[in-house]
Amino acid sequence: MTASKPTTPEHTGTVDTAEIDHFSSIAAEWWDPTGKFRPLHKFNPVRIAFIKEYIAAHFGRDEKSPTALEGLRLLDIGCGGGLLSEPMARMGAAVTGADAAEKNIAVAKLHAEQSGLDIDYRAQTAEALEAAGEQFDVVLNMEVVEHVADVPLFMETCTKLVKPGGLMFVATINRTMKAYALAIVGAEYVLRWLPKGTHHYEKLVTPGELEAPISAGGMHIFERCGVSYNPLFDSWSRSRDLDVNYMVIASKPEN
């Protein structure tokens, strides 16, 4: 997934044009489970279960219900082709998917239409949404921050998009040598799961760097979870190891 890119001069601050160009060049492959986004397709069940579990607990919903997210307004920032937006919509959420890489939005819109889903896809940045006064019960900020130009600004902007009493989920890759070996060298150069250059070590984000602007934005981080890959079963699962892929959840106090 990629962060939003401004298409007009007023949208500035967090966008890395090179990152947007990279994801735009492979946008047609978002929904190919054996293509360049195969890792996200394999990763998706873990992310979806994690998101549903904590949303249900926070908002007092039945986790087993197929429409557990009904009545909630949800933002998928840096939505890419909609790999998370669609399952959230199927669970009843009113979903806005934002990504200013226009090719990503075009792919997402087409796939949602073919799937019979009503999703509000927009070619917009987090800054543009915040400037318009948009707020959501849930913000999904998944595999985005390692692709933005200004992490503190992006994260503080995203905290403003969360309604009082709402949640934000963030997933990214830690900046460790273990992550460099597995997520960059292993995934891009050895296994070739991802195109070379998808991730840059210097842009990976440590939990401390991620959590500081979230706290500065008035949100409370209450859950941290690692995600680990098992090569024997070709599957992902939650773990206590935050050294490579990790997720955090933050809540915003009620007014």
Side-chain angles (χ1 to χ4, degrees), residues 106-205:
V107 169
K109 284 183 175 180
L110 178 61
H111 197 274
E113 182 180 344
Q114 292 171 340
S115 302
L117 295 171
D118 182 14
I119 298 174
D120 179 14
Y121 282 120
R122 308 181 190 180
Q124 280 189 303
T125 64
E127 295 97 308
L129 289 165
E130 190 272 325
E134 295 275 15
Q135 284 197 313
F136 303 83
D137 298 295
V138 179
V139 171
L140 302 185
N141 193 332
M142 311 295 278
E143 286 75 45
V144 182
V145 294
E146 68 270 25
H147 301 295
V148 304
D150 186 330
V151 172
L153 176 60
F154 178 70
M155 292 309 305
E156 288 191 33
T157 300
C158 288
T159 64
K160 297 174 184 177
L161 295 171
V162 182
K163 289 181 180 179
L167 295 177
M168 179 164 63
F169 294 77
V170 189
T172 190
I173 303 173
N174 203 344
R175 192 173 66 253
T176 63
M177 290 311 297
K178 183 176 179 180
Y180 176 75
L182 296 178
I184 296 180
V185 175
E188 298 181 17
Y189 291 85
V190 178
L191 299 174
R192 297 184 180 180
W193 284 346
L194 297 166
K196 295 177 183 178
T198 296
H199 294 109
H200 304 277
Y201 180 75
E202 67 277 6
K203 295 195 71 175
L204 303 184
V205 183

Side-chain angles (χ1 to χ4, degrees), residues 2-230:
T2 179
S4 304
K5 173 191 176 184
T7 54
T8 55
E10 65 269 19
H11 296 167
T12 60
T14 68
V15 172
D16 186 320
T17 303
E19 294 280 1
I20 297 300
D21 290 344
H22 169 75
F23 282 95
S24 295
S25 71
I26 56 177
E29 299 198 40
W30 273 106
W31 287 97
D32 180 359
T34 62
K36 290 182 171 62
F37 294 102
R38 177 180 179 275
L40 284 182
H41 284 271
K42 301 291 290 187
F43 193 23
N44 234 18
V46 176
R47 300 193 299 176
I48 293 167
F50 182 75
I51 292 164
K52 185 181 183 184
E53 175 185 334
Y54 282 91
I55 289 178
H58 184 78
F59 291 99
R61 305 302 179 84
D62 178 4
E63 185 185 348
K64 296 180 181 179
S65 170
T67 56
L69 276 56
E70 192 169 14
L72 297 175
R73 190 170 188 232
L74 181 147
L75 170 66
D76 184 6
I77 188 71
C79 64
L83 299 189
L84 275 177
S85 295
E86 290 200 9
M88 297 300 115
R90 288 192 180 94
M91 286 189 277
V95 178
T96 297
D99 192 316
E102 294 186 5
K103 289 185 179 179
N104 286 345
I105 292 298
V107 169
K109 284 183 175 180
L110 178 61
H111 197 274
E113 182 180 344
Q114 292 171 340
S115 302
L117 295 171
D118 182 14
I119 298 174
D120 179 14
Y121 282 120
R122 308 181 190 180
Q124 280 189 303
T125 64
E127 295 97 308
L129 289 165
E130 190 272 325
E134 295 275 15
Q135 284 197 313
F136 303 83
D137 298 295
V138 179
V139 171
L140 302 185
N141 193 332
M142 311 295 278
E143 286 75 45
V144 182
V145 294
E146 68 270 25
H147 301 295
V148 304
D150 186 330
V151 172
L153 176 60
F154 178 70
M155 292 309 305
E156 288 191 33
T157 300
C158 288
T159 64
K160 297 174 184 177
L161 295 171
V162 182
K163 289 181 180 179
L167 295 177
M168 179 164 63
F169 294 77
V170 189
T172 190
I173 303 173
N174 203 344
R175 192 173 66 253
T176 63
M177 290 311 297
K178 183 176 179 180
Y180 176 75
L182 296 178
I184 296 180
V185 175
E188 298 181 17
Y189 291 85
V190 178
L191 299 174
R192 297 184 180 180
W193 284 346
L194 297 166
K196 295 177 183 178
T198 296
H199 294 109
H200 304 277
Y201 180 75
E202 67 277 6
K203 295 195 71 175
L204 303 184
V205 183
T206 68
E209 292 166 344
L210 181 71
E211 294 178 8
I214 295 176
S215 297
M219 298 190 70
H220 168 64
I221 295 153
F222 67 92
E223 181 62 32
R224 300 166 180 84
C225 175
V227 186
S228 299
Y229 175 71
N230 186 324

